[in-house]
Amino acid sequence: GGILPVILPELPEGAEEGTDREEALEHLINSVAYSPRRIQVRLAALFHHLAEGAGSGNGEEEAGLAASAIESAQLAQTILKRWRASRNLTRQVVSLVAEQVPEGVEAWRDGEVRRFLAQVGRDQLDDVLALARADRMARRDRRRGLAVLRDLQKRVVDELERNPPLQRQDLAVTGRDLMQAFHLPSGPFVGQLLQTLYQYVLEHPACNEYKFLMDFLKKKYTLKFQLPPTPEGNKQNQGG
């Protein structure tokens, strides 16, 4: 009863004590209570496991949770549109729900931590971690989840202090550099090469140097193109 089922019918309904739906509803409410007083985080906490509470998980643990985050984000967008929330607030909340910290982060390699940072973005990072903390605080077995999250936060801080390249514009080469060095026309292939380099430096940030990246492309795409000959090479070919 009450007003909640009217304004938010997507919440688990008919939840009886001790059932999965009752636990899911309790978790969502407690997550909101443990969230900081930032409206986008509190709304994200209310929505972050909404698809799970509705019983839409597919039973596969990690894949199911990842799919649930996307589904919950879609539900959040539908609800906020119905509530006539601003576009900016809707964008923030939907992004927080979709990009929430997944399970299994304790097994992440350094490259996966950097990919997480690249995906989330620096502007949203504090809110994403705040949502993760609220979610872990609301669990019955909170101790382990909070310990794992603290370790992730330390790794995030360490990575940010090293200032790795996290966006494509951080690459030591540009599309213009590639077109000039390899005599390429502007087009999708240049974008493909930049994306290849971007994925590479996320795994190997110390390799983000002009010469190294150019050499990397020469080796990787050796059958597709070659660097133009140097003036000295032309003279030798001409017998000069």
Side-chain angles (χ1 to χ4, degrees):
I3 191 65
L4 195 56
V6 177
I7 63 174
L8 194 53
E10 290 84 359
L11 283 175
E13 56 182 329
E16 298 176 3
E17 187 175 354
T19 64
D20 289 343
R21 287 194 171 193
E22 191 268 343
E23 289 183 10
L25 178 58
E26 180 183 356
H27 177 80
L28 291 177
I29 293 172
N30 287 338
S31 294
V32 175
Y34 286 119
S35 297
R37 293 186 176 180
R38 298 197 292 273
I39 185 63
Q40 69 273 18
V41 181
R42 290 206 157 184
L43 285 172
L46 180 62
F47 301 143
H48 76 293
H49 283 176
L50 202 55
E52 286 182 57
S56 57
N58 63 11
E60 296 290 335
E61 188 69 19
E62 286 194 31
L65 289 173
S68 174
I70 299 300
E71 202 171 335
S72 294
Q74 293 169 343
L75 284 171
Q77 187 166 28
T78 299
I79 294 165
L80 290 171
K81 184 178 181 181
R82 187 173 71 236
W83 289 358
R84 299 185 180 180
S86 71
R87 290 183 180 180
N88 185 53
L89 179 60
T90 299
R91 178 189 57 78
Q92 288 179 298
V93 174
V94 169
S95 183
L96 284 174
V97 175
E99 304 298 343
Q100 60 187 283
V101 176
E103 300 298 320
V105 297
E106 64 271 24
W108 277 0
R109 297 173 291 101
D110 288 346
E112 289 172 297
V113 175
R114 288 188 290 272
R115 289 179 189 281
F116 166 74
L117 289 172
Q119 181 72 24
V120 168
R122 294 174 189 259
D123 293 344
Q124 191 177 232
L125 180 61
D126 286 347
D127 284 349
V128 167
L129 293 176
L131 174 61
R133 185 179 186 279
D135 170 73
R136 273 65 174 176
M137 284 291 294
R139 298 180 184 182
R140 295 182 179 179
D141 57 341
R142 68 174 66 172
R143 183 176 298 180
R144 180 181 179 279
L146 288 172
V148 169
L149 184 61
R150 282 193 296 269
D151 182 64
L152 175 63
Q153 288 175 304
K154 182 180 183 304
R155 295 180 70 188
V156 162
V157 170
D158 290 345
E159 283 295 338
L160 291 177
E161 286 180 351
R162 287 192 281 267
N163 196 31
L166 295 177
Q167 302 300 325
R168 235 166 71 159
Q169 57 264 35
D170 296 330
L171 286 172
V173 301
T174 65
R176 185 175 295 276
D177 292 331
L178 297 181
M179 289 188 288
Q180 291 178 346
F182 299 109
H183 290 180
L184 294 171
S186 177
F189 186 55
V190 174
Q192 177 187 329
L193 295 180
L194 289 171
Q195 186 64 18
T196 297
L197 293 178
Y198 174 56
Q199 296 300 324
Y200 183 76
V201 299
L202 282 176
E203 289 292 335
H204 309 282
C207 297
N208 188 33
E209 297 179 4
Y210 181 92
K211 185 178 186 307
F212 191 97
L213 295 181
M214 289 297 192
D215 288 343
F216 171 77
L217 286 181
K218 284 168 62 180
K219 293 175 183 177
K220 185 173 180 63
Y221 292 91
T222 183
L223 300 178
K224 295 188 177 180
F225 60 83
Q226 296 179 348
L227 281 170
T230 62
E232 291 76 10
N234 281 336
K235 290 179 181 178
Q236 292 176 356
N237 292 336
Q238 295 170 3

